[in-house]
């Protein structure tokens, strides 16, 4: 058990980093997924191949990019191309993992980053899909990182920007999306969640340290499935935090 | 081909491929010295109501000096390919935009674009049509290919599709649903590059974003370049030419033309100045004050650089060699 203090952002980064396997490709946006990739590269996944939307393939994440097209996204990369090449590579099935966030998520992992309220006259106009819809459509497995509360985990998102399992089993295939793709995990400050293999509904797999199952359910605005055995996610280790604080995000841009 | 579904979004710039061919035929293929100032380039080639696009985006290799000139000249009713950061935030906050094909307009680590929020939530931007990032680049690719649409697997099953101007058809080869994106032909494209000769042959270092596609999808193209090089240097390494001269209408020499954004291998982004815009963008009044300070009270790009300060700019340069 770690006795070192950590904040919610550090918790999210460490949890997400552990999920990144070695020797594969991951489509990375900015923010927490980026730090998670950098941490993973320094820990158990030195051969993780980060893929950045605007053209960087296989960068070595010595300095943390804060923009998806900046120089650090192709620093010591194996290739620097453009957005068509990168997303076509995803469309051809080369990209195993993709990272996503959103303002709202529903039980099937559908995400909203477009509008809160009515599309025609929105209460809040959000930035838009960006690369999210492409990542959610083409990557084999997506990992969603979000804060966990009832405003975000909703029965029905105001707008489906990015496809999760759409309306349930077979939804993606019916729409024409590539078979066997879809959300894999949701990482939050309260929990780690997956999706039921048949019903495709979000399922609680593990709670974050100090969090109860009841708290997770209370902060979820839809009926949450519960795994038969709900694990307790181990807290960030001293070593993970050291690497995060001393190497990955020295300037504390995020943590 | 059976149409299964259609997005309800307006097709802001319908693809007239044959008209595009005729246009391309009449564009000069002569090697002409196209060097001019931002003022002349924008005055001659950007008009009210034009459909414009910028590349790459606000904090990265972005035609900021051209964008400031568009605001300075009071262009309005623009239709916009909406993939960007602070350059689009500025165009929106300056009330220049009427319609937008949007994929992302936001300030990245600094959050949402208040320009976008104010203009869309008030209805001053009359038309918003949503797309994914790759979809906009692929729409340019279709135009670059000289065909009216391109089939892709993004957008399917979502509200993004429903509010786009795309269609879903039954693929005649596989029988499965597939999304068709209409080609996007720009009236004016604006691209900032590392190097160009006086005719417009241009080279870009690092990632190319969607420069190749968008350049070929533009009826008129304004290039700003950090450095103007000799024609011979282009001819010595012709594989480095990402934009050939015959696509280009104007070449603007703009050192630090991407400021406050970065230019890979040359200078880093200016966080202090980016934050100044982020703050100013929060309200209508402070945004206008920013425009007065950096655009309306400043006659041209050189005066803007003088205002920022030579030493300040030099501190942004990369000193150690990178390659």
């Amino acid at each position: 058990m770690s006795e070192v203090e950590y904040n919610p952002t550090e918790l999210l980064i460490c949890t997400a980093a552990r999920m990144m396997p070695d020797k594969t490709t991951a489509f990375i946006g900015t923010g927490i997924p980026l730090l998670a990739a950098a941490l993973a590269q320094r820990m158990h996944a030195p051969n993780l191949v980060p893929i950045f939307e605007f053209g960087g393939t296989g960068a070595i994440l010595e300095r943390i990019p804060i923009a998806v097209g900046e120089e650090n996204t192709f620093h010591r990369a194996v290739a620097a191309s453009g957005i068509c090449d990168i997303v076509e590579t995803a469309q051809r099935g080369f990209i195993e993992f993709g990272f996503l966030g959103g303002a709202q998520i529903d039980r099937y992992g559908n995400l909203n980053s477009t509008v809160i309220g009515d599309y025609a006259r929105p209460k809040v106009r959000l930035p838009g899909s960006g690369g999210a819809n492409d990542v959610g459509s083409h990557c084999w497995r997506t990992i969603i990182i979000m804060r966990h509360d009832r405003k975000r985990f909703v029965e029905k998102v105001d707008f489906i920007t990015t496809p999760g399992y759409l309306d349930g089993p077979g939804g993606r295939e019916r729409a024409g999306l590539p078979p066997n793709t879809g959300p894999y995990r949701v990482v939050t400050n309260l929990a780690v969640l997956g999706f039921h293999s048949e019903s495709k509904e979000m399922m609680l797999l593990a709670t974050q340290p100090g969090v109860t199952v009841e708290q997770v359910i209370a902060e979820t605005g839809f009926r949450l499935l519960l795994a038969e055995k709900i694990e307790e996610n181990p807290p960030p280790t001293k070593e993970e935090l050291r690497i995060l604080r001393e190497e990955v995000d020295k300037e504390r841009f995020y943590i | 081909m059976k149409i299964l579904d259609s997005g309800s979004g307006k097709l802001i710039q319908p693809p007239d491929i044959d008209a595009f061919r005729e246009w391309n035929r009449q564009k000069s293929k002569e090697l002409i010295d196209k060097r001019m100032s931002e003022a002349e380039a924008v005055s001659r080639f950007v008009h009210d109501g034009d459909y414009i696009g910028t590349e790459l985006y606000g904090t990265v290799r972005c035609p900021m000096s051209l964008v400031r000139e568009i605001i300075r000249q009071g262009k309005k009713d623009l239709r916009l390919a909406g993939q960007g950061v602070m350059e689009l935030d500025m165009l929106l906050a300056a009330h220049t935009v009427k319609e937008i094909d949007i994929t992302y307009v936001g300030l990245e680590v600094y959050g949402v674009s208040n320009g976008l929020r104010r203009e869309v939530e008030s209805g001053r931007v009359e038309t918003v049509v949503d797309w994914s990032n790759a979809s906009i680049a692929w729409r340019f690719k279709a135009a670059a290919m000289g065909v009216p649409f391109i089939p892709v697997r993004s957008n399917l099953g979502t509200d993004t599709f429903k509010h786009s101007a795309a269609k879903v058809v039954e693929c005649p080869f596989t029988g499965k649903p597939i999304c068709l994106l209409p080609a996007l032909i720009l009236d004016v494209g604006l691209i900032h590059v590392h190097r160009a000769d006086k005719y417009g042959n241009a080279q870009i270092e690092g990632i190319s974003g969607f420069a190749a596609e968008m350049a070929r999808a533009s009826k008129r193209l304004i290039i700003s370049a950090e450095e103007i090089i000799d024609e011979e240097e282009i001819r010595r390494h012709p594989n480095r030419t990402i934009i050939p001269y015959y696509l280009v209408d104007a070449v603007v020499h703009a050192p630090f033309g991407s400021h406050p954004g970065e230019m890979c291998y040359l200078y880093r982004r200016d966080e202090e100045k980016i934050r100044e815009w982020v703050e100013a963008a929060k309200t209508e009044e402070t945004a206008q004050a920013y425009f007065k300070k950096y655009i309306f009270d400043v006659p041209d790009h050189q005066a803007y650089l003088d205002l920022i300060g030579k030493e300040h700019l030099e501190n942004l340069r990369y000193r150690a060699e990178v390659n």
Side-chain angles (χ1 to χ4, degrees):
Chain A
M1 271 296 258
S2 168
E3 280 153 32
V4 189
E5 297 265 308
Y6 54 86
N7 67 40
T9 306
E10 290 172 324
L11 176 63
L12 282 176
I13 295 166
C14 293
T15 312
R18 290 175 197 160
M19 273 172 209
M20 298 207 193
D22 200 12
K23 303 180 189 167
T24 194
T25 45
F27 204 123
I28 311 274
T30 48
I32 286 169
L34 195 43
L35 279 85
L39 178 58
Q41 254 187 3
R42 281 164 176 73
M43 294 211 58
H44 60 275
N47 302 299
L48 176 68
V49 184
I51 306 285
F52 288 99
E53 188 176 19
F54 287 103
T57 296
I60 303 297
L61 298 170
E62 281 166 10
R63 291 181 299 260
I64 297 305
I66 56 173
V68 289
E70 66 163 82
E71 195 182 321
N72 293 319
T73 66
F74 49 95
H75 175 69
R76 297 185 60 215
V78 295
S81 58
I83 186 175
C84 288
D85 178 44
I86 295 299
V87 186
E88 286 157 19
T89 299
Q91 195 164 241
R92 277 196 322 279
F94 264 100
I95 313 217
E96 188 61 36
F97 285 96
F99 285 83
L100 294 167
Q104 293 177 328
I105 188 171
D106 67 18
R107 76 176 71 227
Y108 294 118
N110 299 312
L111 289 164
N112 175 17
S113 58
T114 302
V115 285
I116 300 294
D118 185 53
Y119 184 78
R121 261 317 252 271
K123 186 155 160 278
V124 185
R125 168 73 220 197
L126 299 168
S129 155
N133 182 288
D134 303 308
V135 170
S137 298
H138 304 301
C139 295
W140 288 106
R141 292 186 273 184
T142 50
I143 297 176
I144 297 150
I145 305 181
M146 278 175 75
R147 304 290 273 207
H148 201 140
D149 59 49
R150 290 192 83 93
K151 270 177 62 182
R152 290 181 169 83
F153 281 65
V154 295
E155 185 66 54
K156 191 171 184 294
V157 298
D158 290 358
F159 188 99
I160 299 180
T161 306
T162 300
Y165 292 106
L166 296 179
D167 54 2
R172 289 178 70 94
E173 286 75 10
R174 275 192 297 279
L177 289 167
N180 302 319
T181 56
Y184 168 66
R185 291 284 183 269
V186 185
V187 176
T188 79
N189 49 308
L190 299 183
V192 177
L193 310 111
F195 293 85
H196 190 276
S197 56
E198 268 142 49
S199 78
K200 303 302 185 194
E201 291 171 272
M202 205 184 296
M203 182 162 74
L204 177 59
L205 300 177
T207 52
Q208 294 285 26
V211 177
T212 64
V213 173
E214 288 68 40
Q215 274 175 279
V216 179
I217 292 173
E219 289 300 345
T220 306
F222 52 82
R223 191 195 62 155
L224 191 58
L225 298 183
L226 304 175
E228 269 198 38
K229 183 175 187 304
I230 296 172
E231 310 277 342
E232 230 199 61
N233 191 37
T237 63
K238 250 166 113 168
E239 184 61 3
E240 282 170 335
L241 289 169
R242 185 196 70 73
I243 295 176
L244 195 51
R245 292 168 182 173
E246 289 174 23
E247 294 176 37
V248 171
D249 191 7
K250 284 195 292 287
E251 279 118 58
R252 306 299 160 98
F253 229 113
Y254 288 100
I255 56 175
Chain B
M1 205 149 47
K2 188 168 156 201
I3 295 180
L4 300 174
D5 204 352
S6 291
S8 64
K10 178 179 174 184
L11 185 49
I12 296 172
Q13 183 88 320
D16 189 340
I17 293 293
D18 287 336
F20 192 36
R21 279 183 56 100
E22 294 291 345
W23 175 271
N24 290 331
R25 187 181 194 184
Q26 60 83 41
K27 271 192 93 150
S28 172
K29 286 79 183 177
E30 211 188 320
L31 290 168
I32 305 168
D33 186 345
K34 296 162 186 163
R35 286 174 296 179
M36 62 185 77
S37 64
E38 284 89 351
E40 190 185 345
V42 168
S43 170
R44 282 175 63 184
F45 299 113
V46 182
H47 307 109
D48 292 349
D50 272 349
Y51 193 120
I52 73 170
T54 57
E55 198 276 340
L56 182 46
Y57 65 84
T59 52
V60 179
R61 189 172 54 72
C62 188
M64 293 302 297
S65 73
L66 295 172
V67 165
R68 283 188 285 267
E69 186 62 31
I70 287 175
I71 296 173
R72 187 177 290 120
Q73 291 190 21
K75 302 293 176 186
K76 57 190 207 300
D77 296 335
L78 297 176
R79 297 166 302 140
L80 189 59
Q83 198 291 114
V85 181
M86 61 193 181
E87 83 285 23
L88 298 195
D89 194 21
M90 285 187 196
L91 286 171
L92 286 157
H95 312 304
T96 62
V97 181
K98 186 161 135 180
E99 299 186 308
I100 181 168
D101 276 312
I102 184 171
T103 151
Y104 176 93
V105 181
L107 294 172
E108 302 173 290
V109 288
Y110 297 114
V112 296
S113 156
N114 286 292
L116 177 70
R117 282 203 61 183
R118 283 196 293 275
E119 296 305 284
V120 171
E121 291 164 22
S122 67
R124 273 191 298 273
V125 162
E126 293 173 13
T127 307
V128 180
V129 184
D130 271 85
W131 308 86
S132 75
N133 258 5
S135 295
I136 290 281
W138 279 328
R139 293 187 67 195
F140 289 138
K141 187 165 184 154
M145 288 170 70
V147 294
F149 65 78
I150 186 168
V152 303
R153 302 181 86 177
S154 289
N155 305 303
L156 292 165
T158 62
D159 290 316
T160 302
F161 165 75
K162 287 206 178 81
H163 292 277
S164 74
K167 296 198 186 290
V168 176
V169 298
E170 190 181 280
C171 170
F173 298 106
T174 66
K176 293 187 184 173
I178 194 151
C179 178
L180 302 187
L181 303 174
L184 177 53
I185 299 164
L186 295 178
D187 292 324
V188 196
L190 307 155
I191 302 178
H192 189 58
V193 304
H194 286 76
R195 259 166 258 117
D197 68 15
K198 63 190 178 195
Y199 308 125
N201 292 303
Q203 298 178 349
I204 289 175
E205 297 290 333
I207 54 170
S208 56
F210 50 99
E213 291 83 6
M214 196 182 96
R216 287 155 179 76
S218 299
K219 287 169 69 177
R220 297 180 204 89
L221 183 62
I222 304 174
I223 298 289
S224 56
E226 291 288 331
E227 193 190 350
I228 304 293
I229 55 172
D230 194 78
E231 180 194 349
E232 267 319 299
E233 214 180 304
I234 294 287
R235 291 184 181 277
R236 215 180 348 257
H237 302 285
N239 64 303
R240 292 185 190 166
T241 302
I242 186 172
I243 297 170
Y245 73 98
Y246 55 79
L247 299 175
V248 180
D249 292 89
V251 178
V252 179
H253 182 212
F256 283 102
S258 180
H259 184 274
E262 71 174 65
M263 196 66 182
C264 77
Y265 310 142
L266 295 182
Y267 51 89
R268 66 181 63 85
R269 54 191 265 163
D270 191 339
E271 215 59 51
E272 180 195 316
K273 294 298 177 195
I274 292 171
R275 284 195 181 123
E276 188 179 340
W277 167 251
V278 170
E279 270 313 301
K282 286 181 175 161
T283 73
E284 167 75 20
E285 293 71 36
T286 48
Q288 293 305 325
Y290 179 97
F291 292 144
K292 183 172 196 296
K293 178 178 176 187
Y294 287 109
I295 296 178
F296 296 118
D297 283 355
V298 171
D300 57 27
H301 183 58
Q302 186 53 58
Y304 168 85
L305 296 180
D306 293 339
L307 181 61
I308 300 292
K310 188 159 187 252
E311 206 184 303
H312 184 102
L313 291 169
E314 287 305 311
N315 284 334
L316 298 170
R317 277 198 200 284
Y318 288 122
R319 290 202 218 310
E321 34 145 309
V322 179
N323 288 345

